[in-house]
Structures are given as structure tokens and as C-alpha cells.
């Protein structure tokens, strides 16, 4: 199998980000030392309710003491603009100098939105596999539009300065969120591999990320307290986020943003429905680029052509998603058939969709994909 797929002889161009990454079981204990080293003195924590109930907010409070000046503990999914305004005011009133996002992609997205607008550093402590902690991007949902629309903001200053990965914080991530955010991480790897702006680093990270995610995902779904498997998948999620950080995404991510922002489907769930279909849609243009992922996920090549290997990869991912009982059709997550043309129109305008390696020239291509997914 040929693994040299990034065409390095054609040249490449990417931005990497200065971030400090701490990864270890129990790494949360290193937060206070790192905060002292950076010299942050007035910090705000953005998080979600579940982090209160499982005691992680208290762990941060006792580790940071008076340096933690306030906690916003009810971040909603998909970073709503009205909540961003609230947290913005809270940060300004408290004269904050750094903001922590702890939880899934939503609290981390909130910390990014507020930190970026107020020009202070962002610290990310991820407890799902969504990968936002590694990227210079956040999405914000404009709630005054009908339907609401999620817009992404991209700037190198958005990349968190410090990221703490502690697999122990993921031991109580429920099976459905384990599955859906794990599939989200796998999707980063897939779209990084065939990205129009792929580079040697993104390809290496995405290939190894896919290997670790695939090796540990089902075990974590079935046995959430398995620290070894939790550590392996979090490593995979880190690599997935790293690959995502330096490349542009395509059809899959664009459609998931539309389904999240305009149909309010949880991000990971949208990923499970769309990923196998996006792989098939793109296969004619991108199959050779996905061969490393197929190999990393033990899909046999057997001398068959790359398009058929990638069909087997899409089928395998679809089966894995089914084994973890995630919804596999849009009709199962509240989308009605009559919504499809409008969603396809919104998706056609989406910048990320338009950045797909296989050109999308007609909204009907997207309508057909959504109908297939319905
Ligand atoms: P999320 O942050 O919305 O969290 C989903 C749920 O998981 C919440 O109810 C939360 O309380 C719960 N949760 C999180 N960790 C938990 C734990 N350890 N134990 C128990 N419950 C826990 O979901 P997500 O899928 O992590 O993130 C999705 C959001 O992140 C979307 O808005 C997506 O667009 C964004 N995202 C952004 C990027 C980026 O690069 N900017 C990358 C990936 C995802």
C-alpha cells in the first residue's frame, strides 16, 4: 500500500501554533503549577452542569483558590451568541486575565469566543473527544436568524495557550457521548487526510489518530472505566485535533455545522449520521488519500482498487456506529423530510462545504446526500 499521499513534492503551507500540552492520567493536578508559571491571577472558568455534579469544578476551585474569580457553569451546546454576551460581561466585570474552558467542545468554544474578544489567553481542559482544544477556530450560533446559523471564526490567537488532557476526567463520559464525540474525532482524521490543504504533519497525526481512536473506541463505549482505553482514545483525540488545527475541513464538517446550527442536532450525533456518507460521496476524488486510515483501521486491501477499499472503510465505520447504538438516520433525530431542501440550500452556502475536495456545484448534490441520510 502506498502511504506517501501528501504530495510533499508539490510543496505545502501551514501554520502551527505555540501551545503547551500536558497529557497524563491525573494531569489536572498540574494546573495550579502551570497557572503560576504563566502568571495568570484572575481566571474565569466556563463549563457545563455535568462538571459541577461530577465534582470537577470543585477540583479546579481547590486547586486554584483565589485565582479562580468566577464560574459560568451552564454553557449550552453550540455556543449561543446570547450566552457569549453574558460571559463577556462576567469576564469584564471581574477584570479577568485568562479564561478556562473545561468540558466538551461547547465550553471550550465559549472560552475561546470570550478570550479572543477580550484579548486574553485561553486554557482548555477537554473531557470529550471533540478536539476543539487544539484548534484556532470556534463556532458561534447566531440565534436571531431563522433558522439560527452557526458561523465559524478563525484566528491564530484563538488556539488555547495551555491544554491539559487528563484521561481520568473522561472515565464518567456516558456511552453515547463517548461514541458520538469519538466518531467526531475520527471524522477530523478522515477530513484531514483528504483535505485540500493537507500537509505532512496533519497526515501523520490523522493516520495515527485514526489508529488509536479505532483501537479504543468500542472498549470505551462498553467499559467506560477502563483507564488504559480512555488514555488511548484521548491520545487519538489529541492527534485528531492536531491534524484538524492546520488544515481546512470539507463536506462532512460543513454539513455537521449546518445540522447543529440550523436543526439543533448534537454535534457528535450529526457526525455519526454524516461520516460514512461523506466518505462515499468523496470517494471518487479522495480514495487514495484515505488508504492510510483504512490500513490503520485494519481494512484489508487485498489488491483491490482504492475506491473499493474506501467503500469497505465507509461500511466499517457505519457498522461501528451501529454497534454503539448511535442514530444513523436524520429522521431519527427530529429532521422532517420537508426540512431537507432548506437544509441543502443553507449547506450549499456554507464555506466549509464549498471547500470540499470534490467540487459541489449544485445544491441538489447535497439534497440527495441528505435524502440518503434521512
Ligand atoms: P458539548 O461540549 O456540547 O458537550 C455535550 C455534553 O457532554 C454536555 O451535556 C456536557 O455536560 C457533557 N459532558 C462533557 N464531558 C463530560 C464528562 N466527562 N462526563 C459527563 N458528561 C460530560 O459536546 P462536544 O461534542 O464535546 O462538542 C461539540 C461542540 O464543539 C460543537 O459546538 C462543535 O461545533 C464544537 N467543536 C469545535 C471544534 C473546533 O475546532 N472549534 C472541534 C470540535 C467540536
Amino acid at each position: 500500500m502506498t502511504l506517501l499521499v501528501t504530495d510533499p513534492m508539490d510543496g505545502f503551507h501551514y501554520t502551527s501554533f505555540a501551545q503547551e500540552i500536558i497529557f497524563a492520567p491525573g494531569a489536572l493536578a498540574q494546573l495550579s503549577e502551570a497557572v503560576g508559571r504563566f502568571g495568570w491571577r484572575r481566571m474565569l472558568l466556563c463549563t457545563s452542569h455535568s462538571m459541577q455534579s461530577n465534582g470537577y469544578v470543585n477540583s479546579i476551585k481547590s486547586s486554584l483558590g483565589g485565582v479562580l474569580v468566577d464560574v459560568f457553569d451552564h454553557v449550552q451546546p453550540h455556543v449561543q451568541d446570547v450566552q457569549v454576551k453574558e460571559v463577556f460581561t462576567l469576564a469584564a466585570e471581574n477584570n479577568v486575565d485568562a479564561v478556562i474552558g473545561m468540558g466538551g467542545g461547547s465550553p471550550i468554544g465559549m472560552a475561546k469566543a470570550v478570550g479572543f474578544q477580550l484579548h486574553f489567553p485561553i486554557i482548555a481542559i477537554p473531557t470529550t473527544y471533540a478536539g476543539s482544544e487544539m484548534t484556532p477556530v470556534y463556532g458561534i450560533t447566531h440565534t436571531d436568524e431563522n433558522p439560527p446559523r452557526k458561523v465559524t471564526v478563525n484566528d491564530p490567537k484563538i488556539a488555547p495557550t495551555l491544554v491539559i488532557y487528563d484521561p481520568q476526567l473522561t472515565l464518567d463520559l456516558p456511552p453515547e457521548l463517548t461514541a458520538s464525540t469519538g466518531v467526531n474525532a475520527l471524522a477530523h482524521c478522515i477530513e484531514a487526510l483528504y483535505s485540500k490543504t493537507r500537509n505532512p504533519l496533519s497526515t501523520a497525526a490523522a493516520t495515527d489518530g485514526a489508529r488509536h481512536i479505532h483501537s479504543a473506541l468500542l472498549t470505551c463505549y462498553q467499559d467506560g472505566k477502563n483507564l488504559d482505553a480512555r488514555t488511548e482514545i484521548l491520545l487519538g483525540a489529541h492527534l485528531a485535533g492536531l491534524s484538524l488545527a492546520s488544515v481546512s475541513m470539507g463536506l462532512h464538517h460543513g454539513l455537521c455545522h449546518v445540522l447543529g446550527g440550523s436543526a439543533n442536532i448534537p454535534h457528535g450525533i450529526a457526525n455519526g449520521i454524516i461520516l460514512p456518507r461523506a466518505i462515499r460521496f468523496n470517494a471518487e476524488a479522495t480514495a487514495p488519500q484515505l488508504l492510510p486510515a483504512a490500513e490503520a483501521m485494519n481494512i484489508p486491501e487485498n489488491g483491490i482498487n482504492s475506491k473499493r477499499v474506501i467503500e469497505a472503510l465507509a461500511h466499517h465505520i457505519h457498522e461501528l456506529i451501529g454497534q454503539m447504538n448511535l442514530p444513523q438516520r436524520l429522521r431519527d433525530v427530529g429532521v422532517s423530510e420537508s426540512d431537507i431542501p432548506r437544509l441543502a440550500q443553507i449547506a450549499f452556502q456554507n464555506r466549509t462545504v464549498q471547500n470540499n475536495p470534490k467540487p459541489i456545484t449544485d445544491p441538489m448534490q447535497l439534497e440527495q446526500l441528505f435524502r440518503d441520510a434521512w
Side-chain angles (χ1 to χ4, degrees):
M1 183 178 287
T2 304
L3 291 182
L4 194 61
V5 291
T6 52
D7 317 321
M9 300 314 284
D10 295 340
F12 52 87
H13 176 169
Y14 69 94
T15 305
S16 61
F17 305 99
Q19 296 178 285
E20 177 170 332
I21 314 296
I22 303 176
F23 185 111
L28 190 62
Q30 298 180 47
L31 174 64
S32 140
E33 180 276 325
V35 164
R37 196 156 31 80
F38 278 98
W40 298 316
R41 307 187 70 87
R42 298 188 59 78
M43 304 182 79
L44 171 72
L45 172 63
C46 300
T47 191
S48 53
H49 279 308
S50 57
M51 301 292 122
Q52 283 282 18
S53 45
N54 58 22
Y56 299 159
V57 170
N58 279 339
S59 302
I60 302 254
K61 279 183 179 163
S62 48
S63 131
L64 293 184
V67 172
L68 185 68
V69 293
D70 216 332
V71 179
F72 184 87
D73 70 356
H74 49 282
V75 175
Q76 291 165 352
H78 298 305
V79 191
Q80 315 286 324
D81 54 359
V82 277
Q83 279 209 322
V84 174
K85 281 191 199 127
E86 252 181 88
V87 181
F88 191 92
T89 308
L90 200 63
E93 282 171 359
N94 279 295
N95 203 15
V96 157
D97 64 6
V99 61
I100 307 173
M102 176 170 65
S106 300
I108 292 173
M110 174 64 80
K112 285 171 154 183
V114 174
F116 178 59
Q117 288 177 36
L118 288 176
H119 310 290
F120 47 62
I122 297 146
I123 296 91
I125 307 175
T127 64
T128 73
Y129 307 122
S132 173
E133 65 280 356
M134 293 305 298
T135 75
V137 184
Y138 64 85
I140 182 165
T141 305
H142 292 230
T143 50
D144 54 355
E145 295 185 28
N146 188 15
R149 193 169 55 97
K150 194 161 171 181
V151 176
T152 53
V153 182
N154 197 323
D155 190 291
K157 290 195 274 309
I158 295 168
T161 305
L162 170 67
V163 182
I164 295 188
Y165 285 102
D166 184 346
Q168 280 171 353
L169 302 182
T170 63
L171 292 177
D172 57 1
L173 186 64
E176 186 192 292
L177 281 163
T178 298
S180 63
T181 65
V183 172
N184 186 195
L186 187 58
H188 301 332
C189 299
I190 297 291
E191 289 226 302
L193 283 170
Y194 64 46
S195 169
K196 288 204 278 193
T197 59
R198 64 190 181 274
N199 61 67
L201 174 69
S202 64
T203 296
T207 304
D208 214 36
R211 186 187 324 281
H212 288 300
I213 294 161
H214 181 251
S215 147
L217 180 54
L218 200 54
T219 306
C220 290
Y221 174 76
Q222 292 164 342
D223 175 18
K225 301 288 183 207
N226 183 326
L227 184 61
D228 286 346
R230 287 293 194 183
T231 303
E232 177 166 20
I233 197 173
L234 195 60
L235 169 60
H238 163 63
L239 293 169
L242 180 63
S243 69
L244 171 69
S246 68
V247 298
S248 55
M249 293 283 106
L251 177 70
H252 170 85
H253 281 74
L255 293 186
C256 290
H257 270 175
V258 170
L259 292 173
S262 303
N264 205 24
I265 298 175
H267 191 61
I269 300 290
N271 270 265
I273 296 171
I274 297 298
L275 184 59
R277 293 168 170 108
I279 291 174
R280 287 197 179 101
F281 179 94
N282 278 331
E284 71 194 60
T286 63
Q289 282 78 44
L290 289 188
L291 288 177
E295 189 189 42
M297 293 169 64
N298 306 321
I299 309 291
E301 189 188 15
N302 291 344
I304 54 177
N305 74 36
S306 58
K307 228 184 124 187
R308 285 181 54 199
V309 177
I310 298 320
E311 170 51 39
L313 174 71
H315 179 74
H316 179 73
I317 292 174
H318 183 79
E319 295 285 296
L320 178 65
I321 290 165
Q323 272 177 289
M324 297 188 295
N325 299 308
L326 291 178
Q328 294 191 291
R329 307 203 72 88
L330 289 172
R331 72 181 74 178
D332 299 332
V333 293
V335 175
S336 60
E337 200 174 4
S338 57
D339 294 336
I340 289 177
R342 193 168 56 148
L343 288 171
Q345 285 296 340
I346 297 172
F348 188 65
Q349 311 295 328
N350 182 284
R351 228 177 13 183
T352 312
V353 168
Q354 283 303 339
N355 200 36
N356 192 52
K358 174 176 156 184
I360 293 169
T361 51
D362 185 337
M364 280 310 290
Q365 291 171 281
L366 303 173
E367 199 173 313
Q368 211 172 326
L369 191 151
F370 278 143
R371 286 195 190 284
D372 175 55
W374 192 78

